[in-house]
């Protein structure tokens, strides 16, 4: 898996959403992360613009037709949109379809190159028939199912380290024995009602680096050897960080880097293609938040490029 540059997938629309000034979603972080990656790593990163938004047929692999149509045509109720957390707009529809298309493009790049990162993604609270927690369509499940349907892989591990349980992913892939959903999250955090992943690890609040990294290491190795995936989808949420507004764990920036390094090194060691999404991260200081998300790119470059 020796490469000259790390494939990153991006589109300017990732950071284009008109939100109220007090909205807690840090929409600017995606553009900030792309710029920081280019500034720090230069030719070691290769920016791939999203070529195609996700289409309806691809969404139907996971999501119910009525839900898809209602979202696209502004027919969801106010209550349903409130559960998602964003107001409906044509811009939001376009951004959603582009971001999910970006994850699909990223898994294909990872099949070709061994590794790739989407500079958004990780919409793991989206269920087959409703959206939740800033997530409309479950990009992780759609990408995994697409690879399986196309015969490019046989067994996909979705390794979700976002601080919030991947409840939508759990329901989206519950009946598919070829996708293994593993969620390592803070137990006393959103969503209140957890779903049943193939493996759930609910962590205590205020956990620090050593105990956290030991749990991740054990879960990663155990899942790898028991399920034997030939492709890994990694949700590298940084809302585990000690300064995150929505996290409740006490993980340092170095701890985030060590976690990401651990996951990438296992993939490289076993020659398993891996794609990553940046997942959640909710510090209001965009510069500080960008630095935490950068650990994913740093770890990938240190594993596959340097």
């Amino acid at each position: 898996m020796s490469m000259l540059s790390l494939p990153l997938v991006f589109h300017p629309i990732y950071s284009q959403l008109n939100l109220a000034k007090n909205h807690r979603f840090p929409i600017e972080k995606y553009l900030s992360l792309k710029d920081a990656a280019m500034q720090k790593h230069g030719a070691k990163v290769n920016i791939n613009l999203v070529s195609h938004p996700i289409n309806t047929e691809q969404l139907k692999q996971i999501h119910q037709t009525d839900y898809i149509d209602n979202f696209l045509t502004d027919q969801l109720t106010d209550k349903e949109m409130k559960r998602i957390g964003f107001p409906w707009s044509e811009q939001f529809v376009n951004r959603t379809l582009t971001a999910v298309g970006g994850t699909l493009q990223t898994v294909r790049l990872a099949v070709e190159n061994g590794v790739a990162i989407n500079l958004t993604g990780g919409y793991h609270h989206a269920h087959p028939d409703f959206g939740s927690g800033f997530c409309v369509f479950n990009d992780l499940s759609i990408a995994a199912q697409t690879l399986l349907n196309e015969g490019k892989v046989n067994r996909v591990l979705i390794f979700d380290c976002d601080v919030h349980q991947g409840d939508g992913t759990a329901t989206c892939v519950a009946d598919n024995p070829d996708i293994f959903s593993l969620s390592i999250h803070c137990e006393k955090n959103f969503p209140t009602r957890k779903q049943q992943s193939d493996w759930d690890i609910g962590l205590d609040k205020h956990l620090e680096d050593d105990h956290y990294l030991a749990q991740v290491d054990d879960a990663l190795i155990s899942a790898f050897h028991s399920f034997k995936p030939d492709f890994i989808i990694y949700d590298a949420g940084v809302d585990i960080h000690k300064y995150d507004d929505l996290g409740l764990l006490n993980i340092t920036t170095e701890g985030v880097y060590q976690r990401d390094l651990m996951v990438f090194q296992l993939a490289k060691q076993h020659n398993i293609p891996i794609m990553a999404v940046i997942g959640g991260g909710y510090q209001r200081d965009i510069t500080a938040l960008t630095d935490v998300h950068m650990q994913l790119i740093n770890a990938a470059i240190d594993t596959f490029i340097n």
Side-chain angles (χ1 to χ4, degrees):
M1 289 191 195
S2 178
M3 298 185 303
L4 296 176
S5 62
L6 173 70
L8 304 178
V9 175
F10 177 76
H11 194 285
I13 203 171
Y14 286 4
S15 277
Q16 293 170 359
L17 196 57
N18 295 324
L19 300 175
K21 279 194 172 181
N22 62 346
H23 199 288
R24 70 184 317 154
F25 193 85
I27 196 70
E28 311 97 319
K29 73 177 185 177
Y30 306 105
L31 177 59
S32 176
L33 181 59
K34 187 268 290 185
D35 289 345
M38 292 178 68
Q39 183 173 356
K40 178 173 182 180
H41 295 296
K44 291 183 179 180
V45 297
N46 176 25
I47 306 296
N48 297 259
L49 285 178
V50 179
S51 55
H52 300 291
I54 200 82
N55 64 49
T56 302
E57 289 307 308
Q58 291 166 327
L59 292 173
K60 286 179 182 177
Q61 295 175 109
I62 295 295
H63 294 284
Q64 293 184 5
T65 301
D66 285 352
Y67 170 59
I68 297 167
D69 292 344
N70 287 340
F71 172 72
L72 297 179
T73 59
D74 191 19
Q75 298 299 308
L76 293 180
T77 65
D78 289 346
K79 183 179 180 181
E80 288 170 316
M81 287 306 301
K82 187 175 181 181
R83 189 171 192 174
I84 290 170
F86 295 121
W88 191 92
S89 65
E90 291 282 358
Q91 181 190 43
F92 182 37
V93 170
N94 292 335
R95 182 194 179 277
T96 298
L97 298 178
T98 303
V100 178
T103 294
L104 193 53
Q105 186 170 330
T106 308
V107 292
R108 288 176 169 148
L109 282 167
V111 169
E112 296 168 12
N113 297 280
V115 62
I117 296 173
N118 189 16
L119 298 184
T120 187
Y123 303 120
H124 63 167
H125 299 309
H127 294 250
D129 56 343
F130 68 91
S132 175
F134 307 135
C135 304
V136 180
F137 299 126
N138 197 298
D139 61 325
L140 309 177
S141 303
I142 293 165
Q145 188 63 60
T146 301
L147 289 185
L148 290 167
N149 289 349
E150 293 176 350
K152 292 183 175 174
V153 301
N154 296 308
R155 297 167 73 78
V156 180
L157 168 63
I158 299 179
F159 193 69
D160 189 342
C161 289
D162 193 278
V163 82
H164 305 107
Q165 193 214 23
D167 58 325
T169 304
T171 61
C172 285
V173 306
D175 298 327
N176 192 329
D178 299 321
I179 303 175
F180 190 91
S181 59
L182 196 167
S183 179
I184 307 177
H185 51 268
C186 181
E187 186 66 24
K188 303 295 185 183
N189 205 327
F190 179 89
T192 304
R193 181 181 297 175
K194 306 292 191 285
Q195 302 296 326
Q196 185 66 53
S197 308
D198 289 303
W199 189 6
D200 288 296
I201 300 172
L203 305 172
D204 292 335
K205 291 193 289 187
H206 314 307
L207 202 67
E208 297 187 347
D209 286 11
D210 288 350
H211 287 102
Y212 175 76
L213 292 170
Q215 292 263 27
V216 173
D217 186 46
D218 179 65
L220 180 64
I221 293 171
S222 298
F224 178 79
H225 287 294
S226 61
F227 182 66
K228 296 180 172 59
D230 56 9
F231 193 90
I232 298 172
I233 291 177
Y234 175 40
D235 185 341
V238 303
D239 37 16
I240 62 167
H241 194 269
K242 63 181 182 178
Y243 295 137
D244 197 87
D245 289 3
L246 303 181
L248 305 180
L249 297 184
N250 286 340
I251 309 306
T252 67
T253 302
E254 176 64 19
V256 172
Y257 171 79
Q258 291 298 334
R259 178 198 68 178
D260 296 344
L261 192 68
M262 183 189 302
V263 178
F264 284 132
Q265 286 182 339
L266 177 130
K268 184 180 182 183
Q269 178 186 349
H270 295 280
N271 209 34
I272 304 295
I274 182 170
M275 74 80 69
V277 295
I278 72 167
Y282 302 97
Q283 290 187 57
R284 293 185 188 274
D285 182 336
I286 296 297
T287 301
L289 178 57
T290 299
D291 181 57
V292 186
H293 276 302
M294 272 293 295
Q295 303 314 308
L296 179 69
I297 296 169
N298 296 342
I301 285 176
D302 288 346
T303 302
F304 294 99
I305 309 298
N306 287 341

